Amino acid sequence: MDGKVKEQKRHQQKQSGPQAERKKLKKQGGSREEDARKRNPKAFAVQSAVRMAKTFHRSQDIKMKKHHIPLVDRTPLEPPPIVIVVVGPPKVGKSTLIRCLIKNFARQKLGDICGPVTIISGKKRRLTFMECSNDINTMIDLAKVADLVLMLIDASFGFEMETFEFLNICQVHGFPRIMGVLTHLDSFKDNKALRKTKKNLKHRFWTEVYQGAKLFYLSGMVYGEYQAQEVKNLGRFISVMKFRPLVWQTSHPYVLVDRMEDLTDPDRLRTDPKCDRTVSLYGYLRGTYLKNKGQVHIPGVGDFQVGDVNFLPDPCALPAAQKKRALNEKERMLYAPMAGVGGVVYDKDAVYIDLPASHVDQQQDEVRPNTELVQSLIDTHATLDEKMAASKVSLFSGSATLEPAEEGGLGEKCVWDPTTQRKRRKVVFTGEEEEEEEEDGSGSSDDEDGDSEDSDQEQDDDEENLSTYLKEARAGCDETEKTVADAPPVKRPKLDVGKGESAEVPVFADSEDDLEMSEEEEEESGEEGEAGRAGDSGHCSEEEESEDCKEESEGELEGTGEAADATMEEQTASKSMEEEEEEEGGKYTLLGRSISPRVPIASSYKFSCLSTVGLRWKEGLRQKASDAFLRQQQAVPNLRKLVYGSVVQADDSEDEEQELGGLFRVSRPQTSKKYQANAVDSSRFHPDTSHQWDQEEMLNSIRDCFVTGKWDESQDAATLLKEDEELYGDFEDLETGEVHKNPTGKQNRHEETVVKVDDDELQKNKRLEKKQRLKERFNSEYDGGDATYFDDLKEELQKQAELNRAEFDGVDDETRVQYEGFRPGMYVRLEIPSLPCEFVTNFDPHYPIILGGLSSAEGNVGYLQMRLKKHRWYNRILKTRDPLILSLGWRRFQTIPLYHIEDHNGRHRLLKYTPQHMHCGASIWGETRSHKMDCALIQANFRIAATGVILDLDKSVTVVKKLKLIGYPYKIFKNTSFIKGMFNTVLEVAKFEGASVRTVSGVRGMIKKALSTPEGAFRASFEDRLLMSDVVFLRSWFPVSVPQLYNPVTSLLLPVGQKDSWAGMRTLGQLKHDLGIRYMPNVDSLYKPVVRTKRQFNRLHIPKELQKALPFKSKPKLQQPKGKTPRDLQRPSVIREPHEKKVAALLHALSTVHNFKRKKAHQVQHAKHKQFLQQKGKQEEAKLKRQKESRKKLYRVMGQEDKRKQRSSLKGASKDD
Amino acid sequence: RLESYRNNNMASQGLEYDGCNFFRQRLVLSSLSGKRVRIRNIRSKDDSPGVRDFEASFIRLLDKVTNGSRIEINQTGTVLFYQPGLLNGGSVEHDCNTQRSVGYYLEALLMLAPFMKTPLKATLRGVTNDPIDPTVDMLKTTALPLMKKFGIDGEGFDLKVVKRGMAPGGGGEVFFSCPVRRTIKPVQLTDPGKIKRIRGVAYSVRVSPQMANRLVDSARGVLNQFIPDIYIHTDHMKGAHSGKSPGFGLTLVAETLNGSFLSAEMSSTPQGQGDPSLPEDLGRNCAMLLLEEVYRGGCVDSSNQSLALLLMTLGQQDVSKVLLGPLSPYTIEFLRHIRDFFQIMFKLDVQKPSEDERKGGEKVLMTCVGVGYSNINKTLK
């Protein structure tokens, strides 16, 4: 990027080591892999179709993930400077880095970095550096406009909270490119520790940004600056960096203001120092097209209507295209008006020359700025002339607002006092009181008139005289000389006619010839009717009638009234205007102005023609068809004026009113429109009555509109066929060598010879065309196969982008601006009429001023629904109805959210607090804008409380909270009960008839009808009989209203040094803390330790009868088991008297004897008994034996008897036989 | 002090207009741009000052499709203040005033419908065909295909004539449904192409069905000299579908190769207003109107010019081009209003027909860069 381009270090191929070996292996093994496929095809065969499908899907997924949604490339050809925001915690080296980078690129030293600093970094690239202080408001604002963020991290300390806050802000507002820069690396003594820290920081940074995000190391300081080589490397990184467009930035115009001028009337300032200020703000337009007179939001200040926008010559223009690579010293421009560097500054209406020595810090190089000044003077000499010419006009027709002497954007180093102008002036020149001469010089150089050629020679006094003279002559205002003298001579821009001028020029440009013509016509005829025709005829096909119509209808018009009145007024108005201009001695003829008022008449005239006399002209016009063409030609450029003329004129009249200082008020537009203001509102376009569609020539005029008509040469079927034959007709049969010639081709050639060689050109073109067509066909066939939807879409958008570029290419800027708006890359000046005075008085250039353009619907307020999640590092949960500061779109505002969660049936149920780790909904009242990420903030340890996204916007909300109504039965029938205490009136009950109710015990029921007494009681039927002790409740949902608080954070209006101390509405907790209110809870709601008394159960009683029936196991065991006799049951031991002892001993002895005797007797008895038993046994035995003998005998006898009986029976039988 | 800044700077300044003309344009553009509008001197010099019934009905319709809009009308009805709310959409039923036909209301709905929160399903009752406004049939055949070119397409994009009601009695019913879009595509309609066919509808209610046939015959008589591909439906509605008044009419549409539609139409004079019209005359005149429309040419027919321009304006921030015939006064005013509401100016290039060309009158190539409008009403999920 600098003069001597070093030769790049060549790539050295590794000869040894693992890398080289791997490479070698790869080289050899490349083909081997292929072999494997061939050698063993089975191993590579499809094993599983499912798996194959899966892998295919996966690879496709990965492929598709790489796609971004294609956008139309709307980047301007000459883009605005890239905004580089340098952020980091305090004392990390932000200013030093910027200073070093500026020194690297622009070879200049800058003291204090105030406001944006724009430099040229290369042939195609400009950079704007902006330092971001530690203030969260600044961080938010700059995150929205940054293209590249240089995130400075103190390596000796590690990451600080500010870094993460900024990263989180970036995440929600679209992610600009982020590059980390580690500083304070020289504080590490130990090399190992340094490496370790670097690695740790790098990985943490990567998780936050993206894997492989660039982290730059600045190893140490040399004489208070970073090492030149490292800064140079950083600069190279910056100047080759590519950016992906961010949606928010590309869809909104915005300006990072680098210069501010106060244009307020000093007289008003003196009388009312707190009056609203008119301020002009300057900067490069970024983002997208900015429309004039749109709405802008200045974060930290509020919404404003832009009074006027102009584009100015680029103060830091890119060098013209040259062949050499590097920039030369002349082209290394630096533009930082807020820091006091800018050299000569051309404004719309004035030229400012800065003498930097007086403004810039003492440490600044003394020689450089002077050369810079001179050089920039030399560079821009030509434009100066142009400016001079332009500013002459402003000299004579300047408005009443010429006077405002202005405090420049350079006074930022001092806190100035707004009360008196003198003081302010002093402040601007604080350092210069000793050097009177220089002051004079600087004063004169800020030449008001733009006659800067002689400005150097002019003396301060002269200039002042001149200006006062001008003022007196022009407006006749009673401006005293004193005020002029009081006005600071540094910068004296004034409003000129300007507004009108800029609006006027395109009119000139567009229709010069025509306008002049119509002017002439007008002069000779002296009627508006003529002008009317001129204005009208371009517009539609009525022009045929208009001419004739005019002559006839004039009388009618004038006679009939309104329209005529209007035109008369018009005329007088325009006349008076012209007179005015003559008085003013305006140099230009104001063609546009004198013409434009008549345009609406033109249209009005036409309409009246249509309505009143159109029919009469039916027959007379037919023959004039031939004339029509001629007139059409005349009319062409006027169409634009016809459509937009009245609007331009409206602007004019405003301007002129301004110019005239409110003396004349002309109400032309209204009068001219009156005739049609209340007409029938219909979109029908009534046909031109002049066209007679039964005439053959009329019919012929549209023959070619039908497919049956004649076709274009290029589209005609016959010619197309012929061409196809040409393409495919000629061929040569290779086998036979026969050459078939196309007969038509022959014919052609024959004709060619006839028509001679002139047609060579034609033929050449034809051939080219043919070639083109062939190529297209080939392309479509070749690419057509695998063109995806994505490719098609991309191509379509590409075409659109080309069209966008081509459409207005080559049109001059003034006109272009009207169609497109101001395009990004332009250096614009925006005038804002009513800014609060604090903006100017408390101006601090260290805080960025951003003008964010708002699209049409973004200014309205309404309810927003968002999905929100508490930030994981915010160590509390958020309470519903506690105010939060939201950053949404350009705005920062305080509002009161209600948190809610969506139930399964889509109901939004109110939450008292946000969930810990879950998304929840939030409803807020705020400005309605398109869906966009946003972040909510609150002041705390980690200052970002939550992040969210806007889902929906509406004019009403649907958040509900649960409400249980409780009632008590006072009369119970079978399933019906009378319930009281739930409602207060019959009406309330009526509203809830049919609602379902429930008791605590779960009995469901339904409200039937209200009862007359007591008030609010009702009859309800239940599915079961209630008890009197039951409590009946009704579950209902109560809609909650979102508090309508919208409180923009006006941090920029706070006094210098207190800009981060903005305090809005306090949260409930803060309020209680501040007011010393203790929380007084309901005693019933308090949690107390749960104490449970032991329950006593009665003994189980089993009826006696039952006890009897029970098995022993289940019987109650009433007897106590025998154990030790308890102490209470123990009897005391008896101590006997001696006599008793004796008695007892005797008794004991006696009983012993007795016992012995008895025992002995018992033994004897026992023995006897034994003997007895033995004897008895023996006897028994004998008895049994005897019995057995006798039984034996008996049985033998019985057996013999039987035998005998049997024998006898047998005998008897035989006897019978 | 700062408090006052907060309040007055929040909402954008409103616009002021005089007179009741272009009433719909102003309210529609106001709804789309979010700018407040005040219309003064509505028929203030008239014998019966103030807004008419049909305008009141239009305001009511607007109120139905929006949420949170504020409409104030003064005592005499000569001043109207409108602060737009959000375009809500959804199912809407509206009894349109019979002073104007449903087309009057439908034209505005066509402009608003793509930018609603939920898809619009509107049932409009009233006069479907009258001579003042574009009829429903015409909007169906021209406006819908036009909107399709801007990417407003898909399921539920439909316009149905359920019942036909002629002026002055009315009694017709129209169902219109339209999907919502977040953004509108830029278009390049620079070549209308040649007309390939002519279609049409000849309708008759509460008169002899023969009327329709007579219309068709006479119209064909004129058009047949240009193109043979002409097919005109006859649509005779009976009983409950025939509305309250008798009448007949013809709508003709010429379709070009590039898919642009030019149409013309004519309805019989309403019962009891002026001379009764003959079907033969009406058919022939209507055919001539179509020829006139063809003469004007362009990619968009004259009654839909403003719709096309609006959709161009509300497109992405890209260049859109449309070739139009001569601009109608309504369109010219619409362009001015677009400039007021959206700060968009169109580049107007007049294309003159060359001498030997027989393609009708001169055309205007309208070029603009869209505002980059995105439908913020649409819910994001």
Side-chain angles (χ1 to χ4, degrees), chain A residues 276 288 305 683-684 804 859, chain B residues 5 10 13 107 131 265 317:
Chain A
D276 279 0
T288 179
Q305 184 90 29
S683 64
R684 275 248 174 112
N804 289 353
Chain B
Y5 276 105
M10 196 56 218
Q13 274 111 327
E107 275 187 305
E265 62 170 355
Q317 291 203 320

Side-chain angles (χ1 to χ4, degrees), chain A residues 16 52 108 127 165 269 287 314 427 560 569 600 602 613 633 642 764 883 990 1117 1128 1155 1188:
Chain A
S16 62
M52 201 162 179
Q108 273 196 58
L127 310 173
E165 279 168 359
L269 276 186
D314 201 327
V427 168
T560 46
E569 274 180 45
V613 290
Q633 240 178 352
L642 172 76
K764 201 176 173 187
K1117 314 290 186 296
D1128 57 333
N1155 283 347
K1188 204 176 178 180

Side-chain angles (χ1 to χ4, degrees), chain A residues 714-728:
Chain A
S714 58
Q715 287 174 325
D716 195 20
T719 47
L720 281 178
L721 264 179
K722 208 190 280 172
E723 271 167 6
D724 267 2
E725 276 173 8
E726 270 177 46
L727 283 180
Y728 300 112

Side-chain angles (χ1 to χ4, degrees), chain A residues 696-738:
Chain A
E696 190 59 30
E697 55 180 311
M698 220 49 216
L699 294 180
N700 278 337
S701 69
I702 56 167
R703 283 264 177 232
D704 291 347
C705 293
F706 294 87
V707 279
T708 49
K710 214 177 89 192
W711 288 72
D712 278 353
E713 190 74 357
S714 58
Q715 287 174 325
D716 195 20
T719 47
L720 281 178
L721 264 179
K722 208 190 280 172
E723 271 167 6
D724 267 2
E725 276 173 8
E726 270 177 46
L727 283 180
Y728 300 112
D730 303 350
F731 67 93
E732 185 183 346
D733 196 335
L734 287 174
E735 278 180 37
T736 55
E738 217 178 325

Side-chain angles (χ1 to χ4, degrees), chain A residues 570-628:
Chain A
E570 187 81 55
Q571 197 177 21
T572 49
S574 60
K575 260 188 188 165
S576 68
M577 201 101 71
E578 276 165 347
E579 279 164 19
E580 276 300 316
E581 280 149 15
E582 275 166 355
E583 275 173 21
E584 284 167 19
K587 272 196 176 176
Y588 61 9
T589 48
L590 283 176
L591 269 183
R593 275 189 204 177
S594 55
I595 291 299
S596 51
R598 269 155 219 134
V599 174
I601 310 167
S603 52
S604 76
Y605 174 67
K606 192 203 70 201
F607 289 122
S608 61
C609 277
L610 270 177
S611 54
T612 55
V613 290
L615 287 170
R616 223 180 287 171
W617 289 95
K618 252 187 216 174
E619 61 271 44
L621 280 167
R622 219 175 302 144
Q623 66 272 27
K624 301 222 168 186
S626 56
D627 296 359

Side-chain angles (χ1 to χ4, degrees), chain A residues 276 288 303 305 539 642-644 676-678 681 683-684 704-705 708 804 807 859 931 952-954, chain B residues 5 9-10 13 20-21 67 100 107 117 131 194-195 226 265 317-319 321 332 336 346 376 378:
Chain A
D276 279 0
T288 179
D303 281 17
Q305 184 90 29
H539 135 70
L642 172 76
V643 175
Y644 293 117
Q676 61 174 15
N678 287 322
D681 174 20
S683 64
R684 275 248 174 112
D704 291 347
C705 293
T708 49
N804 289 353
E807 182 58 35
H931 318 292
D952 198 1
L953 57 159
D954 213 333
Chain B
Y5 276 105
N9 287 325
M10 196 56 218
Q13 274 111 327
C20 68
N21 206 356
N67 180 14
R100 299 297 288 268
E107 275 187 305
K117 190 188 196 72
K194 288 187 189 298
I195 293 165
F226 289 105
E265 62 170 355
Q317 291 203 320
D318 291 319
V319 169
K321 287 179 175 188
I332 291 176
R336 293 182 189 148
F346 280 74
I376 57 171
K378 207 177 161 210

